Amino acid sequence: MKKRILFTVLVCVLVGLSSCNYYPKETVYETIYESNFKTLDLRVDANQWLFSQEGGYYYCTFNVPELTSAIYNYGVVTCYREYNKGTNNAYQLPLPQTIHSVDEGNGALYTTTIDYSFSVGIVEIVLTNNDFMYVAPERMDFRLNMVW
C-alpha cells in the first residue's frame, strides 16, 4: 500500500513538473510589452496656416518621418495643444479642442475646433471656425506623442 501511494505521488509530481513551462514574469513582460515612445514639438506660425476654399478651414501639414507604418498600424498617436510654451505656466490640452470666442469687430459669437489627422509620415492640424467666421489663426504650439 505504501508503495502504491509513493508511486502515485511520484507520478503526480512528474506530470505536474513536465506539463507546463515556467517563464519568469520579467522575461514575459519585457518580450511582450516592450514599448518605445517619441515626442515632437510642432509650431504653426500665424503666416503658416493655409486656408481651404473648398472646406472653409485652416490647416498646416507637417512631414513627420518618425511616424512609421509600424507606429501607424500598431502604435498610438496623440496630439496636444500647448499653451504658454517655455514658461512656468505652460499646460497642454488634448485635441480635438473646442474654443468659444467673440469676434472683436462685431461681437458675434463663434466656436473654433482644432483637430488633427495623421497617416504614415504626415500629421495635419486643422482649425475650423463655425458660422463661416474666417478669423485667421494665431501662432500655436502642439505636442505630438507616439507610443509603440
Side-chain angles (χ1 to χ4, degrees), residues 24-73:
K25 185 175 181 180
E26 293 79 23
T27 303
V28 173
Y29 179 79
E30 289 175 5
T31 303
I32 296 174
Y33 298 106
E34 183 177 303
S35 67
N36 297 299
F37 65 92
K38 179 85 173 168
T39 299
L40 300 173
D41 290 324
L42 307 173
R43 172 171 278 173
V44 183
D45 286 322
N47 63 350
Q48 291 178 304
W49 290 105
L50 301 174
F51 184 73
S52 169
Q53 293 290 341
E54 294 175 12
Y57 58 86
Y58 294 90
Y59 67 97
C60 186
T61 304
F62 294 91
N63 290 320
V64 182
E66 296 90 346
L67 205 165
T68 64
S69 61
I71 296 171
Y72 179 83
N73 290 316

Side-chain angles (χ1 to χ4, degrees), residues 6-131:
L6 182 61
F7 178 74
T8 305
V9 170
L10 283 174
V11 168
C12 289
V13 169
L14 288 174
V15 168
L17 290 175
S18 64
S19 65
C20 57
N21 295 320
Y22 172 73
Y23 296 103
K25 185 175 181 180
E26 293 79 23
T27 303
V28 173
Y29 179 79
E30 289 175 5
T31 303
I32 296 174
Y33 298 106
E34 183 177 303
S35 67
N36 297 299
F37 65 92
K38 179 85 173 168
T39 299
L40 300 173
D41 290 324
L42 307 173
R43 172 171 278 173
V44 183
D45 286 322
N47 63 350
Q48 291 178 304
W49 290 105
L50 301 174
F51 184 73
S52 169
Q53 293 290 341
E54 294 175 12
Y57 58 86
Y58 294 90
Y59 67 97
C60 186
T61 304
F62 294 91
N63 290 320
V64 182
E66 296 90 346
L67 205 165
T68 64
S69 61
I71 296 171
Y72 179 83
N73 290 316
Y74 306 108
V76 176
V77 178
T78 59
C79 192
Y80 299 83
R81 180 169 177 203
E82 187 169 11
Y83 291 86
N84 306 322
K85 182 179 174 73
T87 70
N88 290 337
N89 298 325
Y91 63 96
Q92 299 175 25
L93 292 175
L95 298 182
Q97 180 184 9
T98 303
I99 304 164
H100 303 288
S101 303
V102 177
D103 184 277
E104 293 177 10
N106 60 14
L109 301 174
Y110 67 98
T111 301
T112 300
T113 302
I114 305 170
D115 207 351
Y116 73 106
S117 62
F118 62 91
S119 63
V120 176
I122 296 173
V123 172
E124 187 169 84
I125 308 287
V126 177
L127 185 142
T128 307
N129 295 316
N130 76 333
D131 294 336

